[in-house]
Amino acid sequence: MILTVLVLGLVLPASGGAATVVHGLETAAIVLLFFLYGARMPTREVWDGLRSWRVQGSMLAATYVAFPVLGLLVQLLPDSVLAPDLRTGLLFLSVLPSTVQSSVVFTSIAHGDVAAAITGATVSNVTGVLLTPLLAGLLIGGTGGSSLAGSVPQILLQLLLPFAVGQVVQPWIGGWVRGHAHLTRITDRTTILLVAYASVSEASTSGAWDDVTLVVVLTLLVVCAVMLVAMLALTWTGGGRLGLGRPQRIALLMCGSKKSLATGLPMASVLFAPAVAASVALPVIAFHQLQLATCAVLARRLARTVE
């Protein structure tokens, strides 16, 4: 289904009023999803997730230490393999915060610790307001301001507020929501499909794919795949060495290996000149689609092993 909507976004991208409708549906699905997470999750589990310093610390270390190291290693590739602008885009990708929606959704599908995923991904995004511009300035240079601060109200209104409202009503409807798990499953998958279609559709209508050859795309996907596999292996094995339980390891796997497209695209338009921004944004788009497709398969496999 993810591959289908990716092709649909390339062939029939939403534009004008249709794009507005898609964006509205995506926002509504995200709000409903996080309300259901809050409504079904006992408050005790949320506090346990926040108190788990090993999980939270390892997520931050994966996002803002291990990933930037990978981004720096990519800079060693010669121009004949990958153009300098695309290498810069991969370095920029490496300092972005983790995703929130897809990290939590895949953690839920894989039967991981959803509370740890929500708190960890949120902490990653809030700290990213400061860390991403700082790291981008140190590693890339030439930054001219950041639009990350504008994402804070969006995080609060679309993610944390619905989750908090769900927590408030959880004593009354939590049992019913937990007894109808298919509601969350349907919302999980609908949200992922809407995010995938909206991101590809926006890239298609904005001209991000212009002047990009098949060889360039394939090379970029290979490099992104190597980075993704490295982070998946590091977070999974690292979680085991830290003594984390399986649900916490799944949360670390899903949150520590991802990067946010929603943060990356606006940031690229602010931090880089227009002539460079499209090339820098392309690795972010490619990695985002690759992480969605890969983690969808991983989440289902992990869920089957638990079941």
Side-chain angles (χ1 to χ4, degrees):
M1 292 179 70
I2 288 178
L3 292 176
T4 300
V5 298
L6 293 183
V7 173
L8 188 63
L10 291 171
V11 177
L12 294 173
S15 60
T20 303
V21 172
V22 170
H23 179 70
L25 290 174
E26 181 186 13
T27 301
I30 291 169
V31 170
L32 175 61
L33 176 67
F34 277 80
F35 170 78
L36 290 175
Y37 281 142
R40 79 174 188 178
M41 189 180 303
T43 304
R44 174 182 51 80
E45 292 185 10
V46 178
W47 288 114
D48 289 344
L50 282 171
R51 285 197 297 265
S52 181
W53 63 268
R54 287 185 301 174
V55 177
Q56 305 301 325
S58 57
M59 287 181 184
L60 289 174
T63 301
Y64 295 114
V65 178
F67 229 125
V69 170
L70 275 180
L72 289 172
L73 290 176
V74 169
Q75 306 310 302
L76 300 177
L77 293 174
D79 293 353
S80 58
V81 175
L82 206 61
D85 286 349
L86 293 179
R87 295 203 307 271
T88 300
L90 289 169
L91 184 56
F92 170 66
L93 164 78
S94 72
V95 301
L96 291 174
S98 176
T99 62
V100 179
Q101 300 98 317
S102 59
S103 295
V104 176
V105 167
F106 287 135
T107 299
S108 173
I109 292 172
H111 302 310
D113 190 334
V114 175
I118 289 177
T119 52
T122 301
V123 168
S124 171
N125 275 261
V126 172
T127 54
V129 172
L130 296 175
L131 283 180
T132 295
L134 177 62
L135 290 173
L138 290 175
L139 300 181
I140 302 174
T143 59
S146 168
S147 63
L148 256 183
S151 66
V152 175
Q154 184 177 6
I155 293 172
L156 294 176
L157 291 175
Q158 290 189 21
L159 310 182
L160 292 185
L161 181 60
F163 181 78
V165 173
Q167 279 284 283
V168 170
V169 301
Q170 188 270 144
W172 294 279
I173 68 172
W176 184 87
V177 173
R178 287 189 289 272
H180 295 77
H182 63 280
L183 291 176
T184 307
R185 285 199 299 270
I186 293 172
T187 312
D188 282 347
R189 287 151 178 76
T190 302
T191 303
I192 286 294
L193 294 175
L194 283 170
V195 169
Y197 174 75
S199 59
V200 173
S201 178
E202 184 177 352
S204 299
T205 55
S206 66
W209 310 120
D210 296 346
D211 302 323
V212 175
T213 65
L214 180 61
V215 174
V216 170
V217 172
L218 292 177
T219 304
L220 180 61
L221 286 174
V222 169
V223 176
C224 287
V226 171
M227 295 178 70
L228 179 59
V229 169
M231 289 306 303
L232 288 170
L234 178 64
T235 50
W236 184 252
T237 58
R241 291 185 178 277
L242 287 172
L244 301 179
R246 183 182 177 88
Q248 289 74 40
R249 289 180 72 184
I250 290 174
L252 174 59
L253 177 78
M254 294 302 176
C255 295
S257 62
K258 291 187 179 60
K259 291 295 182 178
S260 173
L261 180 77
T263 295
L265 293 184
M267 279 280 291
S269 64
V270 172
L271 298 177
F272 301 97
V276 181
S279 297
V280 169
L282 184 57
V284 180
I285 296 169
F287 188 88
H288 184 265
Q289 306 311 321
L290 192 62
Q291 74 186 9
L292 285 181
T294 303
C295 290
V297 175
L298 275 178
R300 291 179 64 84
R301 289 179 63 89
L302 288 168
R304 284 199 296 269
T305 61
V306 171
E307 293 164 357

